[in-house]
Amino acid sequence: MAYFSATQLQTLSWTSWINPNVTYRTPKLLFYPKPLRASFSSSNVETTTLTKDSSTTTLRELCYGHVQEHVIRRAEEVGYVIPTEVQLQALPFLFSGHDCVLHAQTGSGKTLAYLLQVLSVVDSQRSAVQALIVVPTRELGMQVTKVTRMLAANPSEHESGLKSCTVMALLDGGMLKRHKSWLKAEPPTIVVATIGSLCQMLEKHILKLDTCQVLVVDEVDFMFNSSKEVSSLKRLLTSYSSSKNRQTIFASASIPQHRRFLYDCMQQKWTRADVVHVHVNSVEPMPSCLHHRFVICNRTEKNPMLLSLLQTDSPGSAIIFVSEQQLHTLILMLTFEQSGKSKKAGSAPPTTLLVDFLKSSRGRFSDVSLLEEDMNFNQRAASLSELRGGGGGYLLVATDIAARGVDLPETTHIYNFDIPKDAVNYLHRAGRTGRKPFSDKKCFVTSIITVEERFVLQRFENELMFCCEQLFF
Ligand SMILES: Nc1ncnc2c1ncn2[C@@H]1O[C@H](COP(=O)(O)OP(=O)(O)OP(=O)(O)O)[C@@H](O)[C@H]1O
């Protein structure tokens, strides 16, 4: 275990805060229960703990005086009536203009928390980009855009003569030319963007930060951990830090070494010094309705094992996570097994083969869907909207592109066909299930592992503080 002084901390590179082997000590970190509306000391990071009895507070009461009536009504119509824990804790701080780090379980409703703040700040009558929401993937961007548009839509726009809030999805794989014209002709109120496309617009001065009042970075740890995105993100945060009336919101279910992260936020001026760390369920980073299980088998037995599990569980809707590298191994095995079809198999993409294998082996799911990096953007979008439109009953084979932020609330079972690369990855894969905030219906996360991988899973159990039950077949 290593400890660093405050001066040493300043000299560490950004990425070191995510090093799981290093424990950092940050100065003046406060941990004590505080009432919801607390006063702040500008020199300290505040970590909030809920002490107020929350059972009677509605989302309407929480948003009263901050969020427009039509937004609240729309939220109620889609079933957002009672705030989740993170919404209850974060919204008072967000509405009072504080920079916030929303650090709460997967599926806990962080998106609605920051969107309500965004919608409370922007003025739809002003023709300027007033809020920026940065996301790591096109898929998450489309999802956030959809929820934002749904909440922002004003049904009485025509009667009142007031313009509705406009939302642009500026995402990798989109039509940047069209977005350029849109931004020049009439800037949207809110932009949901992936960092690559956003930077192109900023560099060409087609989009400017000076009118922006709220910047949200969703899945912030993922973005900082991505060698492709980290430098652009840092540049964005640095230039945004010089804006006058700014608010910065970071969100994720996993912020490894969060004290170090908060320290860096203040040091680098990515947030103001009175940034609030809203840390919900800090000792339980995954929803409690998840039941974790594992089966041990040889590598060559993984396919029949997966089939047995699917037959025994008969899942309502499931996602099977396969890593790219493991997938290649699996397909080689499949190709070898199905020697008669080996020539044909050799020419097909490996993921397609897995889908075909499952389709042919399992009658109940006539449709097995696929979501992976190698698919083009339209295919990926089609795959997701098919799943969302079907009302459940799906089986999705996915790579880790589906592990972050994707909201498919009908998912009841997760299968780790291969073991995730680290505990954070386990947490986000597992978090694709158990996404109904007020339901305690059991959902299952099952890892198919070899005997050598048992100790790796044990490490995840220790790190994430959960227990895995062994299944025997
Ligand atoms: N107040 C609420 N009442 C009922 N359902 C809600 C509420 N807030 C959010 N939800 C629903 O909970 C689900 C999870 O919300 P959301 O996607 O915001 O989670 P998240 O915290 O961002 O998760 P992740 O860390 O996995 O991205 C969504 O299906 C959303 O519609």
Side-chain angles (χ1 to χ4, degrees):
M1 206 184 281
Y3 291 98
F4 293 90
S5 69
T7 342
Q8 281 173 311
L9 275 174
Q10 285 171 35
T11 62
L12 288 169
S13 70
W14 163 265
T15 46
S16 60
W17 66 265
I18 50 162
N19 183 349
N21 301 318
V22 177
T23 301
Y24 302 99
R25 249 191 343 203
T26 48
K28 292 184 186 170
L29 197 69
L30 300 184
F31 293 98
Y32 53 87
K34 292 182 81 64
L36 267 180
R37 289 176 193 275
S39 63
F40 297 93
S41 148
S42 61
S43 59
N44 294 324
V45 175
E46 302 271 354
T47 296
T48 73
T49 311
L50 195 71
T51 54
K52 181 179 177 294
D53 176 14
S54 52
S55 55
T56 53
T57 310
T58 62
L59 201 63
R60 171 174 286 277
E61 285 165 349
L62 203 57
C63 295
Y64 186 76
H66 299 284
V67 182
Q68 286 182 328
E69 173 60 24
H70 71 84
V71 176
I72 301 176
R73 220 177 303 134
R74 194 73 193 106
E76 287 173 342
E77 278 165 17
V78 292
Y80 305 151
V81 178
I82 307 294
T84 63
E85 197 90 336
V86 69
Q87 291 155 10
L88 196 60
Q89 289 199 40
L91 282 169
F93 292 117
L94 290 171
F95 290 150
S96 64
H98 278 89
D99 289 342
C100 277
V101 176
L102 309 182
H103 187 179
Q105 290 179 340
T106 51
S108 58
K110 296 182 288 294
T111 314
L112 184 64
Y114 67 67
L115 284 183
L116 286 171
Q117 168 57 3
V118 163
L119 292 167
S120 84
V121 165
V122 298
D123 173 5
S124 56
Q125 304 317 298
R126 237 181 103 206
S127 193
V129 175
Q130 297 156 60
L132 256 179
I133 302 170
V134 183
V135 291
T137 62
R138 181 180 173 81
E139 282 64 35
L140 185 53
M142 282 160 46
Q143 187 179 294
V144 172
T145 305
K146 196 172 159 202
V147 181
T148 318
R149 284 186 180 146
M150 179 272 291
L151 288 171
N154 186 355
S156 57
E157 180 184 3
H158 295 301
E159 295 149 40
S160 62
L162 297 174
K163 270 197 306 177
S164 255
C165 175
T166 46
V167 186
M168 173 190 277
L170 183 58
L171 306 169
D172 294 346
M175 286 182 263
L176 287 188
K177 244 187 188 169
R178 198 194 279 178
H179 287 122
K180 249 188 234 173
S181 324
W182 180 1
L183 280 162
K184 278 183 182 165
E186 187 161 20
T189 328
I190 301 168
V191 173
V192 180
T194 44
I195 194 85
S197 302
L198 175 65
C199 285
Q200 282 190 40
M201 294 297 177
L202 289 171
E203 277 155 22
K204 290 181 179 145
H205 303 286
I206 294 160
L207 198 159
K208 292 188 183 129
L209 289 177
D210 48 8
T211 53
C212 183
Q213 291 168 268
V214 195
L215 170 67
V216 181
V217 182
D218 204 348
E219 305 294 343
V220 64
D221 60 316
F222 182 86
M223 310 263 293
F224 270 108
N225 209 7
S226 154
S227 52
K228 229 172 74 191
E229 312 201 318
V230 63
S231 56
S232 307
L233 180 62
K234 281 185 186 177
R235 256 183 290 135
L236 170 70
L237 289 170
T238 305
S239 40
Y240 183 62
S241 70
S242 57
S243 303
K244 270 185 196 145
N245 294 318
R246 59 161 174 139
Q247 183 179 32
T248 310
I249 306 168
F250 294 127
S252 183
S254 56
I255 307 189
Q257 303 294 346
H258 62 261
R259 293 172 214 183
R260 167 72 198 182
F261 174 60
L262 291 161
Y263 186 86
D264 278 350
C265 284
M266 292 183 291
Q267 285 294 305
Q268 307 288 334
K269 300 199 174 8
W270 295 328
T271 61
R272 286 176 300 223
D274 59 354
V275 56
V276 179
H277 177 213
V278 180
H279 199 180
V280 182
N281 285 324
S282 54
V283 290
E284 196 181 18
M286 286 182 285
S288 54
C289 63
L290 301 193
H291 184 66
H292 303 264
R293 316 178 302 181
F294 69 95
V295 281
I296 294 184
C297 65
N298 293 328
R299 237 169 242 294
T300 51
E301 291 167 346
K302 280 194 168 191
N303 314 331
M305 184 57 82
L306 175 64
L307 287 177
S308 302
L309 281 165
L310 289 171
Q311 269 147 12
T312 315
D313 292 346
S314 195
S317 297
I319 305 178
I320 302 165
F321 279 104
V322 184
S323 82
E324 288 288 325
Q325 204 187 354
Q326 297 286 334
L327 194 58
H328 280 274
T329 319
L330 161 83
I331 297 311
L332 280 176
M333 262 158 42
L334 278 176
T335 311
F336 187 70
E337 275 171 19
Q338 302 170 350
S339 52
K341 298 177 195 167
S342 61
K343 270 190 193 158
K344 193 177 163 224
S347 59
T351 37
T352 312
L353 282 174
L354 177 60
V355 171
D356 289 348
F357 170 77
L358 287 166
K359 271 186 185 173
S360 62
S361 321
R362 190 166 162 75
R364 191 164 98 67
F365 287 99
S366 55
D367 265 343
V368 182
S369 308
L370 174 64
L371 189 67
E372 59 164 345
E373 286 85 345
D374 287 348
M375 288 160 72
N376 72 39
F377 289 119
N378 290 339
Q379 288 171 323
R380 273 153 53 173
S383 194
L384 274 175
S385 66
E386 219 173 84
L387 298 183
R388 290 202 169 104
Y394 49 79
L395 184 60
L396 172 68
V397 172
T399 56
D400 282 313
I401 193 171
R404 283 276 180 165
V406 170
D407 186 40
L408 293 167
E410 300 310 321
T411 307
T412 52
H413 289 67
I414 298 292
Y415 296 97
N416 287 321
F417 186 84
D418 64 272
I419 197 151
K421 64 178 187 300
D422 53 31
V424 168
N425 197 214
Y426 183 99
L427 180 150
H428 286 279
R429 282 186 183 185
R432 293 319 99 207
T433 188
R435 298 183 67 82
K436 295 193 174 174
F438 302 105
S439 160
D440 45 17
K441 191 175 165 223
K442 257 207 171 122
C443 294
F444 297 85
V445 183
T446 312
S447 302
I448 305 172
I449 56 170
T450 60
V451 71
E452 298 81 33
E453 286 168 335
R454 176 65 190 116
F455 90 97
V456 183
L457 190 61
Q458 239 152 12
R459 232 182 42 216
F460 299 166
E461 290 179 64
N462 292 341
E463 240 177 272
L464 300 170
M465 289 176 277
F466 69 97
C467 275
C468 245
E469 181 204 351
Q470 180 165 8
L471 298 180
F472 297 93
F473 276 87

